[in-house]
Amino acid sequence: MRLACFFLLFTGLLHAQEVLKAVKDRTQRGTLSDQRQLVRGDTGKWNDAAMLLHTTKPQGMPLDDWMDVAGEKKPAVTATDENWLLFRTRQLDDNDRVWIEKIERSGNAFTITMHEAIWQGNYFKTFTWYEVTALNLGKLPAGDYTVTWLVKPLTFKQLEKPREAQNNYQTNWPTDEQPGEKKPVEFKTKFTVQ
């Protein structure tokens, strides 16, 4: 009986959710992404719908181009390959901000929590953009994996450096964010490592 209880406890611990990385304070925002690319709307590119992909990393390609290529074909992944997630946000405005807040793993299931903070203040000059975020999950043992990318809405009216909203996107974060009215949005993907 004791052995059975120990086995159940041990199995439960193996499948417990493990936080791999998490943002502890405002200055760490943006640091959980392995790469980020801001694509401005005035370049002629537009993205109405967010998208999540699993892929392996090609060499020397901008993230947005990499996402286009990865969306055309699913790569065969082995245990010797690094596993990458690419997430392309929907079109946003210049003062809006996105960042990964937490990366969790439970067995073969990953959960990525991203915040999407939407500016509620006045606009004086504006441009639109979307972000492509790359996240390296590393080499994984053979098996089937699932990913849930959760986008949690926030609203805000104040940036740390209000006069540098456009010039300092990667380091200028909201200071008064509040939960948004919209519900969080989930994006899911599955992949197999052979």
Side-chain angles (χ1 to χ4, degrees), residues 173-191:
W173 300 108
T175 60
D176 63 342
E177 64 270 13
Q178 301 293 320
E181 292 180 12
K182 294 182 181 179
K183 291 183 179 181
V185 180
E186 284 188 4
F187 298 86
K188 294 183 180 261
T189 191
K190 297 179 181 179
F191 63 94

Side-chain angles (χ1 to χ4, degrees), residues 75-90:
V77 182
T78 67
T80 61
D81 294 316
E82 288 195 352
N83 293 272
W84 286 79
L85 296 176
L86 296 176
F87 185 81
R88 185 184 282 160
T89 69
R90 65 186 179 92

Side-chain angles (χ1 to χ4, degrees), residues 2-137:
R2 284 185 180 175
L3 184 58
C5 288
F6 176 74
F7 178 76
L8 289 173
L9 177 64
F10 182 72
T11 304
L13 290 174
L14 282 178
H15 294 291
Q17 189 124 1
E18 173 188 358
V19 175
L20 300 177
K21 296 179 185 176
V23 169
K24 303 290 185 203
D25 63 57
R26 187 178 320 282
T27 62
Q28 293 179 331
R29 290 180 177 175
T31 62
L32 296 186
S33 303
D34 289 292
Q35 294 180 36
R36 298 169 68 198
Q37 179 187 4
L38 180 102
V39 181
R40 287 177 53 137
D42 60 5
T43 61
K45 294 196 169 193
W46 192 267
N47 186 51
D48 286 325
M51 182 171 35
L52 172 64
L53 291 175
H54 167 264
T55 188
T56 56
K57 184 172 168 75
Q59 299 299 316
M61 187 178 292
L63 292 181
D64 196 39
D65 295 340
W66 176 18
M67 187 136 195
D68 289 339
V69 170
E72 293 174 5
K73 59 179 179 171
K74 257 194 155 167
V77 182
T78 67
T80 61
D81 294 316
E82 288 195 352
N83 293 272
W84 286 79
L85 296 176
L86 296 176
F87 185 81
R88 185 184 282 160
T89 69
R90 65 186 179 92
Q91 201 77 17
L92 299 166
D93 287 314
D94 57 354
N95 284 356
D96 300 339
R97 298 291 188 264
V98 295
W99 66 91
I100 295 175
E101 186 75 16
K102 192 175 357 174
I103 302 167
E104 299 171 290
R105 182 176 180 180
S106 179
N108 285 6
F110 290 90
T111 302
I112 316 306
T113 302
M114 173 181 261
H115 287 295
E116 179 184 84
I118 304 301
W119 170 256
Q120 301 298 302
N122 294 325
Y123 284 99
F124 300 103
K125 179 181 174 186
T126 187
F127 66 88
T128 60
W129 59 275
Y130 60 87
E131 180 177 291
V132 182
T133 299
L135 184 61
N136 186 351
L137 298 177

